[in-house]
Amino acid sequence: MGATKTDHFTNKQNQIATIAKALGHPARIAIIEYLLKVNECICGDIVNELPLAQPTVSQHLKELKNAGLIKGNIEGNSVCYCIDEKTFNVLKDYFSKIILTVTNQKCC
Amino acid sequence: MGATKTDHFTNKQNQIATIAKALGHPARIAIIEYLLKVNECICGDIVNELPLAQPTVSQHLKELKNAGLIKGNIEGNSVCYCIDEKTFNVLKDYFSKIILTVTNQKCC
DNA sequence: ATTTAAAATCGCAATATTACGATTATATAA
DNA sequence: TTATATAATCGTAATATTGCGATTTTAAAT
């Protein structure tokens, strides 16, 4: 055991879980917030900003990119990263729907 | 290594990461969606609904509760679980703010 | 062609997560 | 009191994540 039983859940459930998982680390939240502040930047900027080594930051960027939360465009010998809006919209819509549903519910 | 450097990040960043992490598993998303559908239920109902054993479901419920995403009230010899609205509101607000910020940005 | 710069990948150690069988705790029912 | 029902906890195996030093890849600059 130890592996998640991904195939037993719906695509939507796996999609939301994958996005949430990518945001489930304070360093990755910090990267997102930094990108919101500066609009766009390269990996080295984040390395200077966070108390983490370059390979660690690179790995976090990879996970955010895999989840569709950021985009990375090659610009010369560096990579320009920025927020990928559409995936954040998926989350916003998902939680907005939850709030709409739950406000009509009574709890035990 | 292997441990997250929690103390290097802000309380807010850790809070969002903790909540997102709790939602970062399809089984826990499925539990949330089931609770939204049935309003409230006991652990055994979820065990019947999901392809997971009782201790596994119990553990997932514990994590959702620790993150403040669900409430659990003892009712006789069972525990009644339901959505904890306020934590979902934290997420909704957080992502709404991100969307507002990011729509004015241009990407590389 | 050689050097420099940026960032990805490799490899590894420490730690965390996932899943579940077995057991335990708690409360109701007989 | 004894049996039953519900769910938490314990223990453990399999797997995944985190973090970083060392190395490699890629592209620009000299």
Side-chain angles (χ1 to χ4, degrees):
Chain A
M1 276 84 256
T4 299
K5 288 183 158 183
T6 308
D7 39 314
H8 293 19
F9 302 100
T10 68
N11 285 343
K12 184 70 181 178
Q13 284 166 347
N14 281 310
Q15 185 203 16
I16 297 295
T18 298
I19 301 171
K21 192 177 186 178
L23 291 172
H25 193 291
R28 293 194 287 267
I29 293 292
I31 289 172
I32 294 297
E33 292 183 355
Y34 181 69
L35 279 172
L36 286 168
K37 199 175 75 178
V38 300
N39 199 346
E40 60 186 47
C41 73
I42 64 174
C43 177
D45 296 335
I46 301 169
V47 173
N48 291 332
E49 194 74 9
L50 300 188
L52 294 169
Q54 181 268 319
T56 307
V57 170
S58 190
Q59 197 175 290
H60 283 309
L61 286 169
K62 191 182 178 185
E63 283 176 62
L64 288 170
K65 204 178 162 201
N66 284 343
L69 289 161
I70 62 172
K71 287 185 270 190
N73 293 321
I74 297 165
E75 279 188 5
N77 62 345
S78 65
V79 181
C80 181
Y81 287 101
C82 62
I83 299 285
D84 193 341
E85 192 183 347
K86 68 176 181 314
T87 305
F88 280 95
N89 264 311
V90 170
L91 279 186
K92 197 205 71 176
D93 293 348
Y94 187 78
F95 292 119
S96 295
K97 264 179 207 157
I98 286 182
I99 294 300
L100 286 177
T101 307
V102 89
T103 39
N104 298 320
Q105 293 190 347
K106 237 176 291 178
C107 207
C108 36
Chain B
M1 277 84 260
T4 299
K5 288 183 159 183
T6 308
D7 38 314
H8 293 20
F9 303 99
T10 68
N11 286 343
K12 183 70 181 178
Q13 285 166 346
N14 281 311
Q15 184 203 16
I16 297 295
T18 298
I19 302 171
K21 192 176 186 179
L23 291 172
H25 193 291
R28 293 195 286 267
I29 294 292
I31 290 171
I32 293 298
E33 292 184 355
Y34 181 69
L35 278 172
L36 286 169
K37 199 175 76 178
V38 300
N39 199 346
E40 59 186 49
C41 73
I42 64 174
C43 176
D45 296 334
I46 300 168
V47 173
N48 292 332
E49 194 73 9
L50 300 187
L52 295 169
Q54 181 269 319
T56 307
V57 170
S58 189
Q59 198 175 289
H60 283 309
L61 287 169
K62 191 183 177 185
E63 282 176 64
L64 288 169
K65 205 179 163 200
N66 283 344
L69 290 161
I70 62 171
K71 287 184 270 192
N73 292 321
I74 297 164
E75 279 189 3
N77 61 347
S78 65
V79 180
C80 181
Y81 287 102
C82 61
I83 299 286
D84 193 341
E85 191 182 349
K86 70 177 180 314
T87 305
F88 280 95
N89 263 311
V90 171
L91 280 186
K92 196 204 71 174
D93 293 348
Y94 187 78
F95 291 118
S96 295
K97 263 178 209 158
I98 287 183
I99 295 300
L100 285 177
T101 307
V102 88
T103 40
N104 299 320
Q105 294 191 346
K106 237 177 290 176
C107 206
C108 36

